[in-house]
Amino acid sequence: MEEKIALAATAIVLMAIAFYGATTGFDVMSNTLAPWYDPVVKLDEVALAEWSNENIPHNTLFAGDLFACEMLTATARAICTVGGAWELADNANTRFFENEKAFTANSSKESWEIFKKYRATYVLVHPRQAFYGYGYKQPHNENFEEKKYFELVKQIGQAKLYQVL
Amino acid sequence: MGKKILLLLQAACLLAALSFGFALVWNGLFNDAGYYTPTFDNAMLWAARARIIGDTGHYAEMEIVFGGITKTYHVPFWPSLVAGFSALAGLNLYWSIRAIALLQVLFLGGAVYLLAKKVSGGNKLAGAAAVFLAYNSPNLMTWGTRTTPISWGVLLLAFGLWAVAEKKKEIAGVAAIALALDHQPSLLVFVVTLLLFVIASNFSKAEQALKKKSLKEIDLAPIVAGIVAFVAYMAWHIRQTGFSCLNFKCLPQASAREFGRSIELTPFLAKFPSVIGALGVVLLVFATLGKESKEKQACGIAGVLAAAVGVFLPSTPLLLAALLLLIYAFSAMHEELLLTCFVAGALLLVKNDALGFGVFTERFLTHFDEALAVAGGCLVACAISMLNNVFSKK
């Protein structure tokens, strides 16, 4: 009798796994996990980071949004102005606030002053909405066109790398 | 013949469950992430730390974001693993991360299988069911599939507890070292679980051991694992902060304290798969306490009732009292007590706001769901055992 019960229970569990997994479980779980697998950054940003890895000294300080920054640390072997693990950083809130301000400022001079304050050498710019500190924001990329403060070093697709002068 | 068919069916259950988890990660890496590895969360920072180890042979001693001016406090297990795998397998960084993520989800399933099978008295079906429940937990899989240390944290937690359940103190010690150097919240769940387990299981034995002046009465595996985990972590802590920070108050995260919201357990435990785990704990009381003293049976039933009322009211003090009753009820057992302590330890950390801390509460739902998945597996074993009892009496 024990063997029959075990066989029946195993068959029921197998059918439950197969049925629930195929009809509901996979969709529910893959949709739940999808945002966490999001690359967020764009292919042209990655390509620009790879170019930086080849052409810019490693451990140089870059500025970007949170996700571009983290991608730059891994791909361009760079240091960046913001990133995750904020709880382990010194003055993380101030740094987030000013990083966002630098990308959304109303003037090139204001952006430049903030980047200079934090000694950022390069700025990775992309027209996508980005997470500079607090929520997704549209950057004021026209600020970087001012040649007095920024020099375009490389462009791949829509991604641009500027040097802070 | 029947046994062979049973074995095949059990293997099919485990294979189906593991395939489910593997497919989830495959879909995430190659459909959702697609052209790149995930950058959401802080996955790329960990990729960078692995790259630095691969490039230099040394751990990144400084943070690589926020200007790179802060000495790091991150633990080195995961990036070292990725760098080592990359060097040995000859894969580049991102393919190494993908391969490790795919392997990791299978290892997580394996660890949950071993633990649930052991806790349920060797029931393979319970192990397979626990794996499937674990893979269906949004909390566990959101973090258990990250390309970051937490994914190995939840895996090492289950594996370490399995080693403790098997009384394999060398393996438990190695798992404890890896866990201590991988992920602090998972380490905390491990240590709290072991602390509860050691106190509850050895309280009555300690006097006998002292009288006989022999440690034979004492189960050393959880003690070794707990001490090794503590020493390994403190060694890292002192390496990074010196002797002036033994109270941890110097750490930036102590000042920039991340408050956690208070978790409402009623809706949480009403959802699949958590509800299966909660029922598993209830059924464990009724299925296994039959041979215990009347006092312990009464404590078990009172614990279940108090837990039910505590969840529905909701009342955290009642819930904590229920956990104490359940731990006492199982205190003469081994595997059942370990599972109860795992559930209780994770729950204590989820509800740490009730203890006056209120830190990282929701993060521990990951571990609570892991404990519940194991308990859910036990539900299957208990149900089979109860059915056997009913039919054998007839």
Side-chain angles (χ1 to χ4, degrees):
Chain A
M1 182 53 80
E2 273 191 26
E3 198 173 271
K4 282 182 184 172
I5 291 173
L7 271 171
T10 311
I12 289 168
V13 170
L14 179 59
M15 282 190 288
I17 290 175
F19 181 75
Y20 181 80
T23 59
T24 313
F26 188 79
D27 287 343
V28 169
M29 288 304 293
S30 56
N31 287 335
T32 303
L33 299 182
W36 297 88
Y37 281 105
D38 194 345
V40 188
V41 294
K42 303 296 178 192
L43 267 174
D44 44 10
E45 291 177 276
V46 176
L48 198 47
E50 284 167 352
W51 180 87
S52 301
N53 184 45
E54 297 295 324
N55 296 283
I56 290 174
H58 297 161
N59 299 319
T60 300
L61 184 57
F62 280 60
D65 91 314
L66 190 146
F67 302 111
C69 260
E70 294 186 344
M71 182 273 294
L72 282 163
T73 63
T75 305
R77 293 174 164 88
I79 306 289
C80 213
T81 47
V82 292
W86 59 269
E87 71 277 13
L88 291 169
D90 286 333
N91 297 315
N93 270 323
T94 311
R95 286 171 174 274
F96 268 137
F97 178 78
E98 298 214 340
N99 192 61
E100 182 173 294
K101 204 171 162 190
F103 280 93
T104 56
N106 290 322
S107 73
S108 304
K109 187 167 183 276
E110 194 181 355
S111 298
W112 178 81
E113 281 172 350
I114 297 171
F115 289 131
K116 277 304 217 190
K117 177 182 169 184
Y118 286 101
R119 297 179 182 175
T121 311
Y122 293 95
V123 187
L124 178 60
V125 175
H126 196 276
R128 69 176 167 87
Q129 280 210 330
F131 198 104
Y132 299 104
Y134 301 98
Y136 285 91
K137 302 272 165 66
Q138 195 62 45
H140 292 176
N141 286 349
E142 62 278 10
N143 287 348
F144 302 104
E145 302 297 331
E146 176 57 75
K147 289 180 179 162
K148 187 176 166 189
Y149 300 114
F150 301 99
E151 182 189 347
L152 181 65
V153 177
K154 181 75 179 171
Q155 177 170 3
I156 298 177
Q158 291 183 295
K160 293 178 180 177
L161 188 69
Y162 290 95
Q163 185 168 9
V164 182
L165 299 176
Chain B
M1 187 65 184
K3 279 186 181 169
K4 279 186 183 171
I5 294 173
L6 180 62
L7 202 62
L8 275 174
L9 278 175
Q10 286 168 338
C13 281
L14 180 60
L15 195 65
L18 289 173
S19 304
F20 181 84
F22 190 83
L24 273 180
V25 178
W26 183 279
N27 180 63
L29 288 173
F30 299 110
N31 291 336
D32 295 328
Y35 60 84
Y36 207 53
T37 53
T39 58
F40 197 73
D41 192 32
N42 53 15
M44 294 304 281
L45 280 184
W46 286 104
R49 291 185 187 110
R51 169 154 272 173
I52 290 168
I53 294 173
D55 286 350
T56 67
H58 298 286
Y59 189 55
E61 297 291 344
M62 303 298 286
E63 285 296 314
I64 42 185
V65 285
F66 295 105
I69 56 168
T70 316
K71 189 170 169 61
T72 193
Y73 189 68
H74 289 100
V75 271
F77 177 84
W78 191 88
S80 307
L81 178 79
V82 173
F85 183 87
S86 178
L88 289 173
L91 292 172
N92 74 26
L93 180 72
Y94 300 120
W95 280 106
S96 297
I97 289 172
R98 289 182 183 109
I100 283 177
L102 289 167
L103 287 174
Q104 180 276 329
V105 77
L106 295 178
F107 292 162
L108 172 64
V112 168
Y113 172 80
L114 287 174
L115 181 59
K117 181 174 158 242
K118 178 66 186 169
V119 168
S120 61
N123 191 312
K124 296 184 183 76
L125 184 60
V131 174
F132 188 65
L133 292 171
Y135 286 158
N136 276 279
S137 157
N139 289 303
L140 180 55
M141 291 305 277
T142 295
W143 298 104
T145 57
R146 298 264 55 72
T147 53
T148 63
I150 187 172
S151 57
W152 281 75
V154 292
L155 146 61
L156 289 165
L157 174 63
F159 183 69
L161 290 178
W162 165 77
V164 168
E166 289 279 6
K167 300 185 180 178
K168 293 178 186 292
K169 49 183 184 295
E170 293 84 1
I171 297 177
V174 171
I177 293 172
L179 191 52
L181 296 178
D182 182 66
H183 187 244
Q184 291 99 331
S186 300
L187 174 69
L188 198 56
V189 178
F190 186 64
V191 171
V192 170
T193 300
L194 292 184
L195 194 63
L196 292 172
F197 182 65
V198 167
I199 292 170
S201 61
N202 293 310
F203 193 72
S204 57
K205 292 178 195 164
E207 196 181 343
Q208 294 169 19
L210 284 172
K211 277 180 187 168
K212 290 181 185 172
K213 292 184 180 172
S214 163
L215 288 176
K216 280 182 185 170
E217 299 285 328
I218 304 288
D219 175 11
L220 288 177
I223 299 170
V224 167
I227 291 173
V228 163
F230 177 77
V231 170
Y233 189 75
M234 285 312 291
W236 176 259
H237 177 73
I238 290 168
R239 179 188 186 273
Q240 299 310 100
T241 63
F243 286 96
S244 59
C245 190
L246 293 177
N247 61 3
F248 294 86
K249 284 187 178 172
C250 68
L251 298 177
Q253 69 265 49
S255 53
R257 187 177 150 193
E258 182 180 312
F259 289 91
R261 65 186 165 88
S262 186
I263 304 297
E264 276 191 51
L265 287 175
T266 316
F268 175 78
L269 289 173
K271 282 183 194 161
F272 178 81
S274 313
V275 66
I276 307 286
L279 290 173
V281 175
V282 174
L283 212 55
L284 196 66
V285 169
F286 292 102
T288 61
L289 284 177
K291 290 176 187 167
E292 293 297 308
S293 65
K294 296 281 179 207
E295 181 193 50
K296 290 201 167 161
Q297 288 180 20
C299 276
I301 293 167
V304 166
L305 290 174
V309 177
V311 167
F312 282 108
L313 275 180
S315 163
T316 307
L318 199 56
L319 204 57
L320 298 181
L323 292 175
L324 285 177
L325 284 168
L326 287 174
I327 287 173
Y328 177 73
F330 288 113
S331 59
M333 298 182 164
H334 186 257
E335 289 85 7
E336 292 85 352
L337 177 64
L338 184 65
L339 172 62
T340 311
C341 292
F342 187 17
V343 173
L347 186 56
L348 271 177
L349 290 164
V350 168
K351 297 300 293 180
N352 73 63
D353 52 315
L355 305 174
F357 298 105
V359 183
F360 293 145
T361 48
E362 57 265 56
R363 290 197 183 197
F364 293 111
L365 284 175
T366 308
H367 309 93
F368 186 42
D369 253 2
E370 190 173 14
L372 287 177
V374 176
C378 289
L379 175 93
V380 175
C382 289
I384 293 173
S385 160
M386 289 168 104
L387 280 174
N388 279 332
N389 285 340
V390 169
F391 283 103
S392 64
K393 277 175 189 169
K394 284 181 180 175

